[in-house]
Amino acid sequence: MSPPGEPELVKHLRARAGRNSDVVLGIGDDAALLRVPPGQLLVVSTDTLVSGIHFPAHTAVADIGWKSIAVNLSDMAAMGAQPRWASLSLALPQLERSWIDAFLDGFLAAAQVYDVSLIGGDCTRAALPVISVTIHGLVPPEYALRRSGARVRDHLWLSGNTGAAAAGLMLVQSGADSSSAASQSALQRLQRPTPRVALGIALRDMATAALDISDGLLLDCQRMCGASGCAADIELSRLPISAALLELADGERCRAEEWALTGGDDYELLFAAVPEAESDLLALSQRMGLPLTRIGSFVAGDGQVQVLQDDGRQRQFARTGYDHTQ
Amino acid sequence: MSPPGEPELVKHLRARAGRNSDVVLGIGDDAALLRVPPGQLLVVSTDTLVSGIHFPAHTAVADIGWKSIAVNLSDMAAMGAQPRWASLSLALPQLERSWIDAFLDGFLAAAQVYDVSLIGGDCTRAALPVISVTIHGLVPPEYALRRSGARVRDHLWLSGNTGAAAAGLMLVQSGADSSSAASQSALQRLQRPTPRVALGIALRDMATAALDISDGLLLDCQRMCGASGCAADIELSRLPISAALLELADGERCRAEEWALTGGDDYELLFAAVPEAESDLLALSQRMGLPLTRIGSFVAGDGQVQVLQDDGRQRQFARTGYDHTQ
């Protein structure tokens, strides 16, 4: 009796995964053994992607791999954590080596950029692809960024810009011509999001609260306000709208703004900081070559987020974002 | 604009989950924050359960909850680790509060027995239930039990007995009358397996290798042999067969033995120990009130497992266990 398929797959995964020196034992046993340096908190987050919900069913497999770990890395960024280890659960209709290899091409490319080791997980069959990643990082206790730390008078900040992934999804769903530079960049944002890990670490002693925007700027801002026991006013004129996004919205600023505020899948950081931190944040932005924009302020209230136009009136939206439980 | 569904669910989960003092921040932020005591390795394992593959589609929801964490706790037992924290990914056709509550009834009951905190995870929609749990535990570096440590001349040991879950699955699938005490006990073993956490910790300085039997005694024994670079001989006459199992096999010992050796879903520990440890292991068995049985020995070879009858002949089986990748 010789051992069948699974050990081959495990051996293959172990060979591809590599491992950093803090991985005492990686893929292949009942569990991984990891060395946590003293004086650091362990930071753990899980995100699951389901075909047809979190990515279009025909997404390139390597892009699914990239996104599966990128959305989890984004949670580490939102906590100010240094990501270290990821475990991966793959439930797939067929456990084909070619699919798994293409998936790993994207997954491990992102893992390498952010110096994360794949330490284990499992593979099983299911009617449609369900991919669950648990990511582990480290942060000194006093520096962990929570979503609950925003206070009235803090400024509300945004990294980069938002809306491109929503525009990209629209392109995929409509089957529209996507050869323009603006389209290509939107598709890239949808399929290969950039988690703001270095920014999260840099914000450890500058932000009072942070989260990453996965379900829409407004919805996630409401969540930060709810956790912090305050409300927020967003000044629409301060919201960064890229030229590419405006082009994809056929020049209709209103439509671009809706994507940027409610589209989701952005993986930018939304964070709070005391007003006195403004110059330091602008210097950080310059140093990192990453736009950081003050888009509003926290005010007294109970979780509400208002979007204010220049004329002082409030802009209303049909929905604030994407709730995966509904 | 008021925050919708997801925060309610998160609040509900947080209220039910409770948390131990080593959980600095639990459910509700982008990630959990956990305190790892100095001098311990972090032990991480992921197991995924798919409806119709890892449990019959009509399994009671609370039992699915129990099993989802129990199979992961079993991995901690196999490493000699003290389990501490679990994160949970639920992909479900409908995210009904009643389903989630029934699931948590079982999941949290097991978590409480083993003093594990539910620290986070996510809920999303999918065509059929896919449940992924990542469990975290602690072990002093020198005491971690690996599957690769067995050496030629070590004895092969088994906790409890095996085969009951396979008999239970047969009962479910055949729709046979299951009112007898033997049937009820087999169904209990299938639906509410007991991870051998205390045994794993007790074996830290007594076993040379360990794993938990999830896919079948023979198949998992092959895996241990393959990892350890040796082979094993199992003496069929030493294999513990419970009276209940024999009853379910209509008194056919052959059939009971096949369940016990190839059935899987047992979550007993299979471990190696030097011959000199025998009396200590028997004393441990007495102390714990848990049968520990020497069922064979490790011999020179390359991953083969032989099952020897009293007459010295080898018993052959059509399959050695259950490979979820095939």
Side-chain angles (χ1 to χ4, degrees), chain A residues 1 6 29-30 32 34 42 44-45 48 53-54 87 89 122 124-125 134 136 147 212 222 305 323 326, chain B residues 1 6 29-30 32 34 42 44-46 48 53-54 89 122 124-125 134 136 147 212 222 305 323 326:
Chain A
M1 293 178 278
E6 190 173 301
D29 213 304
D30 293 296
L34 308 167
L42 177 67
V44 179
S45 179
T48 300
I53 295 180
H54 299 90
S87 58
S89 160
D122 72 348
T124 186
R125 283 178 299 119
T134 299
H136 303 81
R147 57 175 65 183
D212 68 314
Q222 286 174 345
V305 176
D323 185 341
Q326 299 199 320
Chain B
M1 293 179 279
E6 190 174 300
D29 213 303
D30 293 296
L34 308 167
L42 177 67
V44 179
S45 179
T46 297
T48 300
I53 295 179
H54 299 89
S89 159
D122 72 348
T124 186
R125 282 179 298 118
T134 298
H136 303 80
R147 58 175 64 184
D212 67 315
Q222 285 175 344
V305 176
D323 185 341
Q326 300 198 319

Side-chain angles (χ1 to χ4, degrees), chain A residues 6 18 28 32 37-38 46 84 136 225 230 270 276 297 310:
Chain A
E6 190 173 301
T46 297
R84 297 306 302 140
H136 303 81
C225 288
C230 55
L270 191 68
E276 296 71 22
S297 306
D310 267 359

Side-chain angles (χ1 to χ4, degrees), chain B residues 237-307:
Chain B
S237 61
R238 290 181 173 271
L239 187 71
I241 300 289
S242 73
L245 193 68
L246 204 55
E247 181 186 326
L248 292 169
D250 299 326
E252 294 173 27
R253 194 172 179 90
C254 245
R255 200 166 154 214
E257 286 166 348
E258 187 165 348
W259 279 335
L261 287 166
T262 69
D265 246 4
D266 301 299
Y267 308 105
E268 294 293 349
L269 293 189
L270 190 69
F271 59 96
V274 295
E276 296 71 23
E278 181 157 5
S279 60
D280 285 346
L281 286 166
L282 294 175
L284 174 67
S285 169
Q286 280 247 310
R287 224 163 42 235
M288 295 188 71
L290 174 67
L292 299 178
T293 311
R294 174 159 75 85
I295 59 169
S297 307
F298 290 89
V299 296
D302 188 25
Q304 310 88 338
V305 176
Q306 291 193 115
V307 180

Side-chain angles (χ1 to χ4, degrees), chain B residues 179-231:
Chain B
S179 55
S180 73
S183 300
Q184 285 299 307
S185 121
L187 290 174
Q188 180 76 9
R189 293 282 299 271
L190 174 69
Q191 289 153 355
R192 298 240 170 183
T194 303
R196 300 299 186 190
V197 172
L199 174 62
I201 292 170
L203 289 177
R204 281 176 179 178
D205 54 0
M206 301 173 83
T208 54
L211 51 64
D212 67 315
I213 302 174
S214 53
D215 296 336
L217 197 163
L218 286 188
L219 179 53
D220 285 317
C221 188
Q222 285 175 344
R223 290 171 181 161
M224 184 184 280
C225 287
S228 295
C230 55

Side-chain angles (χ1 to χ4, degrees), chain B residues 76-109:
Chain B
M76 294 292 101
M79 301 299 290
Q82 176 72 57
R84 297 306 303 142
W85 312 296
S87 58
L88 167 65
S89 159
L90 279 177
L92 302 173
Q94 283 105 29
L95 289 174
E96 285 165 12
R97 178 68 60 92
S98 61
W99 197 101
I100 292 173
D101 269 324
F103 179 90
L104 288 176
D105 288 344
F107 186 95
L108 294 174

Side-chain angles (χ1 to χ4, degrees), chain A residues 202-278:
Chain A
L203 289 177
R204 282 176 176 177
D205 55 358
M206 300 171 84
T208 55
L211 52 63
D212 68 314
I213 302 174
S214 53
D215 296 335
L217 198 163
L218 286 187
L219 179 54
D220 286 316
C221 188
Q222 286 174 345
R223 290 172 180 161
M224 183 184 280
C225 288
S228 296
C230 55
D233 288 344
I234 292 175
E235 297 167 59
L236 195 51
S237 61
R238 289 180 173 273
L239 187 72
I241 300 289
S242 73
L245 193 68
L246 205 54
E247 181 187 326
L248 292 169
D250 300 325
E252 293 173 29
R253 191 168 181 92
C254 245
R255 201 168 154 212
E257 286 166 348
E258 188 165 348
W259 279 334
L261 287 165
T262 70
D265 247 3
D266 300 299
Y267 307 104
E268 295 293 349
L269 294 188
L270 191 68
F271 60 97
V274 294
E276 296 71 22
E278 180 156 5

Side-chain angles (χ1 to χ4, degrees), chain A residues 289-305:
Chain A
L290 173 68
L292 299 178
T293 311
R294 174 159 76 84
I295 61 169
S297 306
F298 290 90
V299 297
D302 188 24
Q304 310 88 342
V305 176

